[in-house]
Amino acid sequence: MTLRDAAAEVRENAHAPYSNFKVGAAIRTASGSVFQGCNVENVAYPEGTCAEAGAIAAMCAAGEREIAEVYVIAQSPAPVPPCGGCRQKIAEFAARDVVVTLATTEGTELRMTVAELLPGAFDASFMEGS
Ligand code: THU
């Protein structure tokens, strides 16, 4: 199964009754494993949890920590950019040159690197010597 197929498959399981906007994400790790996540909303916090965060949580729960590739898909006029929080979460586990593909269900794809998604990222090096 391609990473696109994995993201499209899990998107069907999204719980998005407030936004009616289903998102699917799939992560391939350095070991070759694939982890899937969908957005899950709730009445108190309608923005809920993003698909990317769900895939990252599944990856960590399985004991993996190194993202090799990310694919995000939604039904949208243009590929949907990950929210700020998800950019930071992806950057926690991915090198700067890792490719994040943003896609529409119609087939448009936008490939970006983690560095492009989160320029000027805060990382542990800034805490050196403190
Ligand atoms: N959402 C994601 O899951 N990933 C993104 O990259 C953008 C937004 C979700 C969160 C919420 O459930 C819905 O889309 C509308 O913001």
Side-chain angles (χ1 to χ4, degrees):
M1 188 187 274
T2 66
L3 213 53
R4 177 185 174 85
D5 287 344
E9 177 190 75
V10 71
R11 177 179 166 274
E12 299 297 332
N13 294 334
H15 178 70
Y18 306 104
S19 69
N20 285 314
F21 188 65
K22 294 183 169 194
V23 185
I27 290 172
R28 186 169 53 77
T29 61
S31 75
S33 302
V34 172
F35 296 96
Q36 296 165 290
C38 56
N39 54 329
V40 179
E41 301 176 350
N42 67 81
V43 66
Y45 302 98
E47 71 279 10
T49 305
C50 287
E52 297 91 324
I56 288 170
M59 175 189 77
C60 287
E64 297 218 30
R65 294 288 187 273
E66 197 178 340
I67 293 176
E69 194 180 349
V70 183
Y71 200 104
V72 184
I73 191 166
Q75 184 171 30
S76 179
V80 173
C83 76
C86 284
R87 293 172 194 227
Q88 190 75 53
K89 291 182 181 97
I90 292 168
E92 179 75 14
F93 302 104
R96 306 291 289 161
D97 62 350
V98 162
V99 173
V100 180
T101 301
L102 313 174
T104 70
T105 52
E106 292 302 305
T108 303
E109 290 187 345
L110 174 62
R111 286 163 59 88
M112 298 185 73
T113 64
V114 170
E116 289 168 337
L117 278 172
L118 195 63
F122 173 73
D123 64 33
S125 70
F126 290 96
M127 295 188 287
E128 281 170 18
S130 60

